[in-house]
Amino acid sequence: MAFSAPIMQRNITEQELLSLIDSACSELAVPDRENLCETYGEDEYREANAFRGKSYKEITPDLTKQNWEALYWFYPYAFYYYFLVWARCSVLRLEDANIYLGSMLNLLQSAYSTKSLAWLKERFSLFRSKDIEVMKVWLRWLDQKSSDSFQKKEIKSALQFVEEKPWTTW
């Protein structure tokens, strides 16, 4: 499902963006409680476990901020489910999102080692066309809101990654 040109090209309001994200997230099942994360250690498990059994509407900006590395520990489906949820949290409270936005933008850039490509492909291959479109709108919204030149560069790189979908050729 592609969004109309007006949504893709104009400045979108927070409420419109939340509606798009909510629409995408509402169609997905909450990740299985038993298959949430790859456990590397106590801290990693604790961070990922904070999301266990929670639907997208139960995830708050504070929870995401406190457990900002959890995306790295999630199994593929949990990563897929919670990625847009984290985007949602950044829309709800952008001023507190910098700590986890860095992680999200880093994951949306293609400058990864060969070892990471399999990890990324396993996760990004789950994203539907609708999810990709929502990510593009979210990244454009972030770009409009950001006044930091370094972050704007990261956002543009992430948007290019999402538009090109390199994981489809890895």
Side-chain angles (χ1 to χ4, degrees), residues 10 12-13 22 31 39-41 66 85 88 101 135 150 153-154 163:
R10 68 176 168 80
I12 190 167
T13 67
D22 286 355
T39 55
Y40 295 102
Q66 293 163 2
V85 175
R88 182 180 192 274
L101 274 179
M135 265 198 272
F150 180 75
K153 185 178 176 182
E154 285 187 317
E163 287 174 338

Side-chain angles (χ1 to χ4, degrees), residues 69-137:
E69 288 185 306
L71 274 180
Y72 293 102
W73 318 132
F74 288 141
Y75 278 129
Y77 182 79
F79 175 93
Y80 163 58
Y81 181 85
Y82 289 118
F83 194 91
L84 284 179
V85 175
W86 286 33
R88 182 180 192 274
C89 288
S90 75
V91 176
L92 290 171
R93 203 161 64 220
L94 185 58
E95 66 275 8
D96 288 341
N98 276 341
I99 194 165
Y100 58 88
L101 274 179
S103 294
M104 294 177 79
L105 293 173
N106 186 35
L107 288 164
L108 289 174
Q109 296 179 49
S110 59
Y112 288 96
S113 69
T114 306
K115 181 180 177 186
S116 298
L117 295 180
W119 188 92
L120 288 168
K121 181 178 183 173
E122 195 175 20
R123 283 150 180 80
F124 282 107
S125 294
L126 297 173
F127 285 82
R128 305 166 298 174
S129 294
K130 178 179 187 172
D131 306 319
I132 298 298
E133 294 301 315
V134 170
M135 265 198 272
K136 289 178 191 177
V137 173

Side-chain angles (χ1 to χ4, degrees), residues 16-107:
E16 289 172 314
L17 182 52
L18 286 171
S19 240
L20 292 174
I21 295 171
D22 286 355
S23 173
C25 291
S26 69
E27 297 171 0
L28 304 174
V30 175
D32 184 312
R33 297 174 65 83
E34 303 306 315
N35 296 307
L36 185 65
C37 70
E38 301 178 45
T39 55
Y40 295 102
E42 190 175 315
D43 289 339
E44 292 87 350
Y45 181 79
R46 178 192 48 74
E47 282 196 17
N49 198 46
F51 296 87
R52 188 174 301 279
K54 289 185 170 57
S55 75
Y56 76 98
K57 287 189 175 183
E58 296 174 285
I59 305 299
T60 65
D62 287 335
L63 182 67
T64 307
K65 184 179 174 183
Q66 293 163 2
N67 301 287
W68 64 274
E69 288 185 306
L71 274 180
Y72 293 102
W73 318 132
F74 288 141
Y75 278 129
Y77 182 79
F79 175 93
Y80 163 58
Y81 181 85
Y82 289 118
F83 194 91
L84 284 179
V85 175
W86 286 33
R88 182 180 192 274
C89 288
S90 75
V91 176
L92 290 171
R93 203 161 64 220
L94 185 58
E95 66 275 8
D96 288 341
N98 276 341
I99 194 165
Y100 58 88
L101 274 179
S103 294
M104 294 177 79
L105 293 173
N106 186 35
L107 288 164

Side-chain angles (χ1 to χ4, degrees), residues 104-112 139 143 149-167:
M104 294 177 79
L105 293 173
N106 186 35
L107 288 164
L108 289 174
Q109 296 179 49
S110 59
Y112 288 96
L139 287 165
D143 188 51
S149 61
F150 180 75
Q151 187 178 56
K152 281 180 129 2
K153 185 178 176 182
E154 285 187 317
I155 293 166
K156 288 187 187 325
S157 178
L159 183 57
Q160 181 179 355
F161 176 84
V162 172
E163 287 174 338
E164 292 175 358
K165 300 187 274 187
W167 60 87

